[in-house]
Each structure stands twice: as C-alpha cells, then as structure tokens.
Amino acid sequence: MDFIFSDPGYVLIAGLILVGLFLIILSLVINSHVAHNVRADLPHREKLLEYYRNTFSQVGIILIGIGVSLSVFYFQQSYQERSRKAAEVQQILAKMAMQLARGAAEMPSVAEFDDLLDEDGPYEDPAKGKTAAADELQGSKLASQITKIKLMEDDVDARNLALMNVSQIFENSFVVNEIDPALWFDIVRDESNIRYAVAQLTADYRDLDQAMGGATPEAAAADPVKAAAVKQQVLDIHFDINLLRQSGRRLLARTCWLLSAGPGFAKMKPVDAIEAEEPTHQAWLERARPALSNVAVGSQNCFAILGYKPGTP
C-alpha cells in the first residue's frame, strides 16, 4: 500500500474525503444546536444554524462524492498501468529467454577458444607484463597455434555472439528507468566489447593471411622474417578472442541470473562474482561458479550453460 501514500493524487483524494467527513460531522453537531434552539424558541438563531447545517452537509457530501469518484478513477488507472507493466515484463522475459537460448547455442564454439588460449595454462595478456607464454610462441608452437586458428576461423562464426543484444530489449521499456544503473552499464559494456572483438577478429584473420603470404603454418613459423609478423597477429587474435569469450560468457551469465529472478528481475543488484574483473578468464569462471551454480532458468543451470569444461587446461 506504499504507492497510495506516495502518490499525490491519492493524498488529494484522502484529503477531500476527510474534509467532507469533517463537514458532515460538523453539520450533525450544528443540528444538535438547531434542536436546542427549537426547544428554546429562538427562531432567528434556528434559521442561521439550519443554513450552516445544510451548507456544511451538502458541501461535505459533494467533497466525499468527488473523492470517491476520483479514487475509483485512480484505482482503475493504477490497475491498467500495473497490467500494462506486467504484460511488458512478460514480453521482456520472453525476449531475454530467446537471447539466452541464442547465446547458449554458441557456447560450444566458445569452448574452442578455451582450447586455443589455455593450452599451456590460463591465458594472460602479454601487455600486462606476463610475457612467458608469448615468448614461447615460436617454431613448432607458433605453427600449432596458426593451425588451430585457421581451423577455428572455419568452424566458429564469432558474429553469432554479436547477435546477443539484451540492452535493446530494455531501452524502449520502463525497465530502463528501474534497473540498477551499474547493471545497465555492465550490460552495455559487454555488448560493446563483443561487437568490437568480432569486428577486430575479421581484420585479424585477414592480417594473419597477409603476414603468412600464402606459406604453410610450418613454413611461416620457420621463416625469421615472417615469424615475427605472424606471431604479432596470433597475439592480436589471442587478445580479441579472450575479450570475446569473457564478455560473451559474462553477458550470458548475467542474462541467466536476471531471468532466474522472474518478474522481479528489474530490482536485482549487480553480483560481484559476475561483474568482477579477474586476472584470467579461468579465475573469473572459478569465482562465478558458486554463485551461478545455485541459480537456474527452467532446467538450465546458469553455470553449466556457459559451456565451460572443468577439464579444460
């Protein structure tokens, strides 16, 4: 009932009804004085009090009538608004479920990113100072990575991940004004990262082909001139697919978590386990596992839906 006391319209209605009741009670009090003046044979004062009594009672009845009429109108409007919002929420939930299903269908492909990046341990961005893995990327190791990338280029259509667009579901609805701002910005950030990574990968694959110059992976890795250029392109691809899998899984996890709350999803607050920035993707997965394993949408567990294989290196 808090909405009644917070709405100025309901406060006005309550005020009208209370004033009307006060005037009617006042007219009853005056009526007792009229009866007293009749017994005391004071006709002039009797007429004056009758005038006040009739005026107060009529005005009180009018005010109560206005208040009741307005309350009926407000309740009807409030009911219609609640019904409209409930219908809109159901539509949003249905669209989110479609986005979740679409994203979940791409998770087996994301597992190929895990096999490529985490072959010798969790991937760490060389730009952050962890260069050991990057330094070893030469010779047969570089050739093996090139071969895997070429296979992945043919097998994984990263553009499908860019089809996940949860923010578009919210932006034209009342939910955008109710959802936690931090959560909203996190959703938009991950979608932006996915679009960026997908666009960059297209360019990365093209640049890798140019750097190889038609040579086989083994020949390119063995050529000192080509090997340096090829290695840089491989590192660029590593960075972009790591960004793609991180933002893709985070967006999917967040969508599943929101859906698990049902119609009350707009009141949810960000979960640190999902939003946290960890040094590696595997560290993020391990931190998110307890929180996501305890929630589900239908029969789909929100961690299992990420397609992460515990046996992945």
Side-chain angles (χ1 to χ4, degrees), residues 36-62:
H36 174 74
N37 289 326
V38 168
R39 290 192 297 270
D41 195 19
L42 299 172
H44 174 71
R45 186 163 179 78
E46 175 189 341
K47 294 295 184 182
L48 181 62
L49 290 175
E50 283 181 349
Y51 170 77
Y52 288 145
R53 179 197 62 189
N54 295 338
T55 300
F56 290 153
S57 63
Q58 289 172 3
V59 172
I61 290 172
I62 291 172

Side-chain angles (χ1 to χ4, degrees), residues 38 117 235 257 293:
V38 168
L117 292 177
L235 291 176
W257 168 71
S293 296

Side-chain angles (χ1 to χ4, degrees), residues 183 186 250 254 257-258 268-276 284 287-288 291-292:
L183 202 56
D186 289 338
R250 194 199 307 272
R254 190 186 299 112
W257 168 71
L258 287 171
M268 302 289 278
K269 299 296 181 183
V271 174
D272 288 342
I274 297 176
E275 309 303 341
W284 177 83
R287 179 170 179 178
L292 293 174

Side-chain angles (χ1 to χ4, degrees), residues 152-173:
M152 189 179 68
E153 181 182 2
D154 295 333
D155 294 343
V156 181
D157 189 353
R159 292 172 298 179
N160 290 336
L161 282 173
L163 296 177
M164 288 191 67
N165 199 345
V166 179
S167 63
Q168 191 175 38
I169 301 173
F170 297 152
E171 63 186 10
N172 294 321
S173 74

Side-chain angles (χ1 to χ4, degrees), residues 4 160 206 261 308:
I4 292 180
N160 290 336
R206 183 180 63 248
Y308 173 63

Side-chain angles (χ1 to χ4, degrees), residues 124 126 129-139 141-142 231 235 238:
E124 295 184 73
K130 305 293 184 178
T131 61
D135 292 340
E136 296 174 1
L137 195 60
Q138 52 188 333
K141 181 68 175 178
L142 179 58
K231 176 181 176 179
L235 291 176
H238 284 180

